[in-house]
Amino acid sequence: MNRISWDQYFMAQSHLLALRSTCTRLTVGATIVRDNRIIAGGYNGSIAGGTHCIDDGCYVIDNHCVRTIHAEMNALLQCAKFGVPTDGAEIYVTHFPCLQCCKSLIQAGIKAVFYAEDYKNHPYALELFKQAGVMTEKVEAQRTIDVNEKEKEDFVLALLAKLERTGLEKEAVLELERQAAHLFNH
């Protein structure tokens, strides 16, 4: 069995954190790492105990939801709250950081930003990261985590068996089985 790379591992953690997001416009997760150890995580959502976008909708001003605290900020604030230093750490984010998060990451001493998806990559954010010597790198997702994979595979196999019983040509069924095996990495 091949293990996933550290970059893939930490990015998967960020995607998992994004599943906790309460924003209805974009779900984002962030993981702060030092020496290949996770020191904090965050997702975009409202203040603790506050009204969430999933409850009352987004509170949009100038095309930006002001109800939401960004994932990167939540991760940095978690470090601040528990006294965990961020100087020299790295962050893995599901989406390229906005300009405000970019400035906060630089000020917090983050040395590298890894992101999975481009998202309104602001030219000034790119310039600031370069000025501050913060490395940025896009990390493509190689594998997804699907907690229902087994149920989906069983369902597809049951459908294929049913198709075969209906009289579909054996060669056509075999081709569908090959495609299913490819989808489920067999």
Side-chain angles (χ1 to χ4, degrees), residues 111-122:
K111 69 176 181 180
V113 175
F114 298 93
Y115 62 98
E117 295 182 41
D118 291 307
Y119 184 72
K120 301 180 182 178
N121 302 25
H122 198 285

Side-chain angles (χ1 to χ4, degrees), residues 85-98:
T86 55
D87 194 38
E90 303 167 335
I91 191 165
Y92 290 79
V93 192
T94 56
H95 296 76
F96 189 85
C98 74

Side-chain angles (χ1 to χ4, degrees), residues 77-105:
L77 292 168
Q78 185 180 59
C79 286
K81 186 175 185 177
F82 295 107
V84 178
T86 55
D87 194 38
E90 303 167 335
I91 191 165
Y92 290 79
V93 192
T94 56
H95 296 76
F96 189 85
C98 74
L99 184 55
Q100 297 306 317
C101 286
C102 158
K103 293 187 285 187
S104 296
L105 293 170

Side-chain angles (χ1 to χ4, degrees), residues 20 22 43-52 55 67-69 74 77 81:
R20 290 282 305 154
T22 59
Y43 54 86
N44 57 331
S46 301
I47 62 167
T51 302
H52 295 276
D55 299 325
R67 187 185 312 271
T68 301
I69 301 167
N74 269 327
L77 292 168
K81 186 175 185 177

Side-chain angles (χ1 to χ4, degrees), residues 12-22 27-29 43-44 94 145 147:
Q13 176 68 30
S14 294
H15 282 288
L16 189 60
L17 283 161
L19 295 174
R20 290 282 305 154
S21 171
T22 59
T27 60
V28 179
Y43 54 86
N44 57 331
T94 56
I145 300 168
V147 294

